Amino acid sequence: MINSRSTVAALVFLPLLFFTAFFLVPLTVVATASFTNGDGVPTLANYARILLDTYHWSVIATTFRLGIVTTLICILIGYPLAWYLVRIVKFRSWRRLCVILLILPLFTSNIVRSFGWMVLLGRNGLVNETLQMAGLTERPLRLLGTETGILIGLVYILLPFVVLTIGNALAKIDHSLEQASADLGASPAATFWRVTFPLTAPGIAAGAIIVFALAVSAYVTPALLSGGRVTVLAVLVFQQYSSVFDFHYGGALAVTLLVFTMAIIGISSLVSRLGAR
Amino acid sequence: MALLSIEGVSKSFGSHQALKDVSLNVEAGEFVSLLGPSGCGKTTLLRLIAGFLTADRGTIRIDGEDITNVPAHRRPLNTVFQNYALFPHMSVQDNVAYGPRRSGAGRVEAAERASEALSLVGLGQMGDRYPRQLSGGQQQRVALARAIVNRPKLLLLDEPLSALDLQLRRRMQVELKQLQEKLGVAFVFVTHDQEEAMAMSDRISVLSEGRIQQVGNGAEIYRRPANRFVAEFIGEANLLSIDSAHGFEIVFAPADQSTNRLGVVRPEHVRILREGDTAALSENDVRITAEVAAVASIGGTTDIHCTSLGYEIVARRLGLSDGGFKPGDKVTLVIAGDDIHIIESERS
Amino acid sequence: MILRNLICIVALFGMTFLVLPLAVLVGASLTTSEFLAFPPQGLTLKWYAVIFSNPTYVASFLTSTWLAASATLIAILLAVPAALAVSRYDFPGKGAFSAFLLSPLVLPHLVLGAALLQFGGSIGLTRNFWALLVGHVVIVTPFVLRTVLPLLSREQQAMEEASRDLGADGVTTFFLVTLPQIRSGLVAGAIFAFITSFINVELSIFNTTAELNTIPVQLFNYVQYSVDPSIAAVSSATIVAAAVAIILIDLTVGLDFLTTNDD
């Protein structure tokens, strides 16, 4: 390639400059602040304040419990839904409509989507009315302001990601593999567990990682559906940056959120890679 | 002066040396094939000539002018790409007119020249279509028209027929050769198909492991391969180590004793006689006693595989008759002395 | 067969679950009552008239549109050269470079917003349009990069070589051959980028003010204190806009990634 070095430099220069200035440097500033006190003296006090305190640990536990349960529920509903769309639906136009309805939530703001659930989950909302009419409960359930409410909101917001990644993996499977399995005498169940499921496992893993990362860092949904009664890490981070203005403690909270998220994603992808061997 | 002159060109990709000190001349109007197995460096050499890669060492000249560091778009040659690389968003006409437009022709003139090139390849009526609406053979012709429209003196072709089925391929070989002669343009033609190279080329350059092994016309390369690689790659060959040779008195060494001389014998030059049948022998013939191992008829020929001295020697008979030879038969193999091509200092 | 029916039930439950909240908002926006009601009491479009005559909403809507459009444009100008460099050239740190530009996809936007607020404070880049813009460019650039990269394939590279072989220089080749080939990916990436910017809260919330606000942040602030049918109308307007965008994508690039090859 002629003059490839200067061409690469010309192509890469602006993106690299922009991302360094407005992405790398700001994050470095946060990380630096988290390791210093108000006078700029290096300290671990901000982290000690978080990690040596039971309240913070309970917030971390709530955050990650919500993340893990959301991920599991998304897979449990998402896999059958993806299977339905890829393997069962016969009419192209119905599948097309379903795909549009699946993506529509992704194109609307978290606010709008959470607001919809605020309306539905209220004391006199549709969910409580239905439950009461069906005789499943005597008095209206308190759903808003509980972890269950947040969970419903998070599953709702993140379900499309799982359906799309699993559905994509399912659609790519060569049917002759399953036919070969049946031809070799495997029952439909054996074919599913030994052929189909392993081939969709990367899709499940990819979807799970996206869902988990977005669930533990979600701010809007917990803020709206908790009604201030349930606290997650992202809410603590926001408070420090928007009203308390303690960038050192806030930075430490942000870094904690990042590190815990990356650690869990790293462990789970390591486990799935070992499992694939 | 040669039209294209390549001198001492080397090219590495990381630690892999793709071309090692390659030199080659192509005369005006000549058809030269670069023949070799995949990974031999033939495509790298073509891309160096086209200007998509830059040589680490050596020079490339066209008409005596050094173009080693001239960018691709300023080189006076054109290329037919392996999968044609037609622009899918342009009509056939616009694809072919692309070259003239870039070299400064006006819209009308470019269109005229494109139509002319298209009728030259027999696609005069297809100008309004888009590449995806054409068959593989038609796309191939469009790629050809696009490459010749600027009337280059040198055309590079990167396995242009490899995507076509066998019948179409045979027909395109003939058409391509006719077109080349009609236009008087020099072709550098990359292929891994020896029959294609043999059928079309004035000269063949056999490449292996980044080096040119031999350059010559088809008959030369077939009859007098320069080394073991060429002997085995071009056609089929029985390779036998030679113990001693005085004139036509040639004695072969057993397979487990390698010597520094190798005899190359084509299967069709091996005659097969029943043991004791000495009727048709002449002075210059070399005789080997052998045993038939297997008999195989393929189309118009019959191969009789024999074992002797630890070699498997193939004798080829024209026609479907196996001459009554059966596995286990004791036979005498007869090879005329001047049908044995000797390669010196090649360990077998 | 039982299993198949079970799958169908779960799937239909899932689809209902996905549609319900959005349907509820669209329905509630049509109510004639002064409070949020679903099913709506009567049908009226008066709440849409209310929001479209409210200057605060209109201003936020314009800010969001302008912000998303600018961020998308800049993202294209950054992502296309980056994609060309990554797909066409070998250079040291190539893997790290593309990972760096793609990483905002997995990084919590809230953390980035906080970081930009703190960093922006030190250079005077806070609570104005430019402060919002740089953050949005960072989060939407990966979307363009991700849709353009796969289109710069080997076949595409062969076409660029063919163009240069026929005498076109690099710039001519880019505009006549490369750009028309990546246009579909560029359109899809640009739509994703625009939407992502348009619906963002976590990043914008740090740098918005009463005078300079985006639609989602405006809604967020509003929803936390009071709810009335006008908010449902704003929400439902964004839902309709999203539906239009999706149908546009379906018509231009197709959303058939759940279709198997053999039917």
Side-chain angles (χ1 to χ4, degrees):
Chain A
M1 201 78 51
I2 295 173
N3 286 333
S4 68
R5 204 171 288 174
S6 57
T7 313
V8 168
L11 291 172
V12 162
F13 176 72
L14 277 179
L16 205 55
L17 181 73
F18 194 96
F19 268 65
T20 303
F22 300 115
F23 182 58
L24 188 60
V25 170
L27 290 178
T28 314
V29 168
V30 168
T32 313
S34 75
F35 285 104
T36 52
N37 64 18
D39 305 321
V41 180
T43 172
L44 289 173
N46 303 310
Y47 288 97
R49 186 172 161 193
I50 298 166
L51 299 177
L52 300 178
D53 175 51
T54 49
Y55 168 71
H56 285 94
W57 276 106
S58 78
V59 171
I60 292 171
T62 308
T63 307
F64 287 88
R65 187 167 57 240
L66 279 170
I68 290 166
V69 178
T70 301
T71 310
L72 289 178
I73 296 178
C74 278
I75 292 170
L76 286 178
I77 303 178
Y79 204 104
L81 183 50
W83 186 279
Y84 171 79
L85 291 174
V86 175
R87 292 291 176 86
I88 295 182
V89 172
K90 287 280 174 289
F91 301 104
R92 268 170 175 271
S93 44
W94 169 239
R95 171 160 47 211
R96 207 163 170 162
L97 180 68
C98 285
V99 171
I100 289 176
L101 291 176
L102 189 66
I103 297 175
L104 183 59
L106 291 179
F107 275 43
T108 38
S109 174
N110 287 351
I111 301 292
V112 172
R113 291 188 270 171
S114 305
F115 178 45
W117 282 108
M118 285 170 75
V119 176
L120 278 166
L121 295 178
R123 284 186 76 83
N124 303 313
L126 202 61
V127 171
N128 266 323
E129 275 182 22
T130 313
L131 287 176
Q132 280 170 290
M133 267 194 344
L136 289 171
T137 173
E138 291 282 311
R139 284 178 296 137
L141 294 175
R142 197 167 70 89
L143 294 167
L144 279 179
T146 65
E147 273 188 49
T148 313
I150 301 176
L151 201 58
I152 293 174
L154 287 175
V155 168
Y156 173 69
I157 282 173
L158 301 171
L159 182 60
F161 290 107
V162 183
V163 179
L164 289 176
T165 50
I166 295 177
N168 209 1
L170 265 178
K172 277 188 192 145
I173 292 179
D174 184 349
H175 278 289
S176 60
L177 295 174
E178 289 163 333
Q179 285 156 2
S181 168
D183 185 63
L184 294 166
S187 68
T191 297
F192 175 78
W193 287 112
R194 301 205 166 264
V195 178
T196 317
F197 185 77
L199 289 172
T200 52
I204 298 174
I209 286 175
I210 298 175
V211 167
F212 180 79
L214 292 176
V216 294
S217 65
Y219 166 69
V220 171
T221 310
L224 288 183
L225 296 179
S226 74
R229 288 196 191 86
V230 182
T231 309
V232 294
L233 264 179
V235 171
L236 284 187
V237 173
F238 181 72
Q239 284 168 357
Q240 291 309 314
Y241 277 90
S242 68
S243 43
V244 183
F245 295 108
D246 184 344
F247 291 160
H248 305 282
Y249 170 53
L253 284 169
V255 171
T256 306
L257 174 59
L258 265 183
V259 168
F260 271 90
T261 310
M262 295 303 155
I264 292 199
I265 290 175
I267 291 168
S268 62
S269 57
L270 192 71
V271 167
S272 68
R273 211 173 310 153
L274 289 177
R277 271 196 197 136
Chain B
M1 185 173 55
L3 172 68
L4 170 69
S5 138
I6 299 166
E7 279 169 37
V9 162
S10 297
K11 177 72 187 175
S12 296
F13 299 106
S15 61
H16 169 66
Q17 209 177 350
L19 286 178
K20 301 163 193 165
D21 192 26
V22 166
S23 297
L24 179 71
N25 282 348
V26 176
E27 304 297 328
E30 196 183 16
F31 194 127
V32 174
S33 288
L34 304 180
L35 175 65
S38 58
C40 70
K42 57 190 191 297
T43 299
T44 304
L45 182 55
L46 196 81
R47 292 169 62 79
L48 281 169
I49 303 170
F52 304 133
L53 295 171
T54 318
D56 299 336
R57 267 200 313 280
T59 50
I60 301 174
R61 290 193 179 83
I62 288 183
D63 276 334
E65 192 188 334
D66 187 344
I67 58 154
T68 315
N69 292 309
V70 172
H73 66 274
R74 297 214 195 92
R75 295 194 181 194
L77 51 84
N78 286 112
T79 307
V80 176
F81 290 82
Q82 185 167 18
N83 293 312
Y84 318 138
L86 299 176
F87 307 130
H89 58 293
M90 294 181 197
S91 68
V92 165
Q93 171 82 24
D94 289 345
N95 261 283
V96 182
Y98 192 90
R101 290 287 287 158
R102 300 287 86 70
S103 54
R107 205 172 285 275
V108 178
E109 190 200 336
E112 273 169 18
R113 284 169 57 188
S115 306
E116 195 186 325
L118 280 170
S119 26
L120 208 54
V121 298
L123 286 180
Q125 309 304 314
M126 299 287 188
D128 295 336
R129 305 246 186 125
Y130 280 82
R132 64 176 174 278
Q133 300 169 304
L134 303 181
S135 69
Q138 289 169 329
Q139 292 186 13
Q140 218 286 315
R141 285 160 203 256
V142 176
L144 198 57
R146 189 177 70 175
I148 58 168
V149 67
N150 274 348
R151 293 299 162 102
K153 284 184 194 164
L154 175 63
L155 198 64
L156 310 178
L157 301 98
D158 186 5
E159 308 221 12
L161 306 179
S162 61
L164 305 179
D165 64 46
L166 193 61
Q167 260 182 327
L168 189 55
R169 193 165 168 168
R170 291 269 153 78
R171 208 170 76 218
M172 285 304 297
Q173 286 174 6
V174 176
E175 282 188 29
L176 209 54
K177 182 71 185 161
Q178 286 170 344
L179 188 72
Q180 187 250 342
E181 280 163 4
K182 186 168 161 191
L183 296 173
V185 52
F187 274 25
V188 174
F189 187 94
V190 163
T191 181
H192 63 267
D193 180 344
Q194 44 154 319
E195 282 178 33
E196 192 167 276
M198 292 274 190
M200 300 171 79
S201 324
D202 297 322
R203 282 192 302 147
I204 299 171
S205 165
V206 183
L207 277 92
S208 171
E209 293 177 344
R211 286 185 199 280
I212 292 185
Q213 305 292 328
Q214 187 172 7
V215 182
N217 66 36
E220 277 168 19
I221 286 179
Y222 187 75
R223 294 225 185 89
R224 291 189 291 281
N227 55 37
R228 188 189 185 93
F229 173 81
V230 178
E232 287 186 313
F233 188 70
I234 308 289
E236 286 158 65
N238 297 302
L239 300 175
L240 309 163
S241 293
I242 292 172
D243 190 33
S244 68
H246 302 287
F248 289 133
E249 276 182 35
I250 293 169
V251 180
F252 294 114
D256 50 8
Q257 292 174 22
S258 68
T259 63
N260 60 354
R261 277 186 295 177
L262 194 64
V264 180
V265 183
R266 299 295 176 185
E268 64 271 25
H269 293 144
V270 181
R271 278 157 64 208
I272 180 163
L273 300 174
R274 297 207 170 275
E275 199 176 30
D277 182 353
T278 52
L281 292 186
S282 81
E283 285 291 297
N284 296 341
D285 287 343
V286 177
R287 267 154 287 179
I288 307 165
T289 54
E291 188 181 313
V292 176
V295 179
S297 286
I298 334 142
T301 59
T302 301
D303 283 354
I304 299 168
H305 298 255
C306 305
T307 49
S308 179
L309 297 167
Y311 299 103
E312 185 184 281
I313 303 173
V314 180
R316 182 164 293 166
R317 292 166 60 96
L318 273 180
L320 286 170
S321 161
D322 58 12
F325 292 103
K326 296 273 177 310
D329 287 358
K330 302 276 185 238
V331 293
T332 305
L333 301 177
V334 181
I335 306 161
D338 49 5
D339 284 336
I340 301 173
H341 171 67
I342 298 174
I343 300 171
E344 298 286 340
S345 60
E346 279 273 330
R347 311 298 293 189
S348 60
Chain C
M1 221 51 221
I2 297 168
L3 188 66
R4 189 194 157 96
N5 289 338
L6 195 67
I7 291 174
C8 287
I9 291 168
V10 174
L12 291 176
F13 167 77
M15 288 308 300
T16 315
F17 178 67
L18 285 172
V19 173
L20 200 58
L22 303 183
V24 163
L25 288 181
V26 175
S29 73
L30 300 172
T31 188
T32 51
S33 57
E34 293 298 312
F35 52 90
L36 265 181
F38 188 87
Q41 305 179 346
L43 289 177
T44 174
L45 287 175
K46 75 170 177 186
W47 297 108
Y48 290 89
V50 168
I51 59 166
F52 284 116
S53 58
N54 180 334
T56 321
Y57 277 131
V58 174
S60 316
F61 180 79
L62 290 177
T63 306
S64 281
T65 310
W66 185 228
L67 179 64
S70 318
T72 303
L73 184 70
I74 297 173
I76 289 172
L77 295 179
L78 294 177
V80 172
L84 281 172
V86 169
S87 62
R88 291 284 179 266
Y89 299 91
D90 263 322
F91 55 94
K94 181 161 112 166
F97 173 71
S98 58
F100 179 44
L101 261 57
L102 289 170
S103 56
L105 286 174
V106 288
L107 192 94
H109 289 171
L110 191 80
V111 171
L112 180 64
L116 277 170
L117 177 74
Q118 187 182 350
F119 169 70
S122 64
I123 59 167
L125 188 67
T126 47
R127 302 193 185 279
N128 60 33
F129 185 78
W130 302 106
L132 286 171
L133 184 60
V134 293
H136 279 234
V137 170
V138 168
I139 63 162
V140 304
T141 300
F143 285 92
V144 184
L145 188 60
R146 212 173 47 164
T147 52
V148 170
L149 260 182
L151 291 174
L152 292 166
S153 57
R154 284 209 86 79
E155 296 85 64
Q156 165 73 36
Q157 186 168 4
M159 276 168 221
E160 285 167 21
E161 285 176 353
S163 167
R164 291 198 290 142
D165 186 70
L166 294 164
D169 59 28
V171 177
T172 312
T173 297
F174 177 78
F175 282 103
L176 290 185
V177 176
T178 314
L179 197 57
Q181 291 295 302
I182 62 171
R183 189 183 290 149
S184 67
L186 211 50
V187 170
I191 294 175
F192 280 117
F194 186 92
I195 298 287
T196 304
S197 163
F198 197 84
I199 67 178
N200 181 277
V201 177
E202 281 96 337
L203 190 62
S204 306
I205 199 163
F206 293 101
N207 274 314
T208 47
T209 62
E211 292 75 39
L212 179 79
N213 214 339
T214 65
I215 270 282
V217 175
Q218 179 92 7
L219 268 179
F220 183 67
N221 294 337
Y222 218 77
V223 163
Q224 291 187 86
Y225 304 108
S226 67
V227 284
D228 68 51
S230 75
I231 298 181
V234 179
S235 306
S236 131
T238 66
I239 294 167
V240 172
V244 170
I246 291 170
I247 290 166
L248 276 181
I249 295 183
D250 191 27
L251 293 177
T252 50
V253 284
L255 292 170
D256 51 359
F257 37 73
L258 294 187
T259 307
T260 45
N261 295 325
D262 54 1
D263 63 9

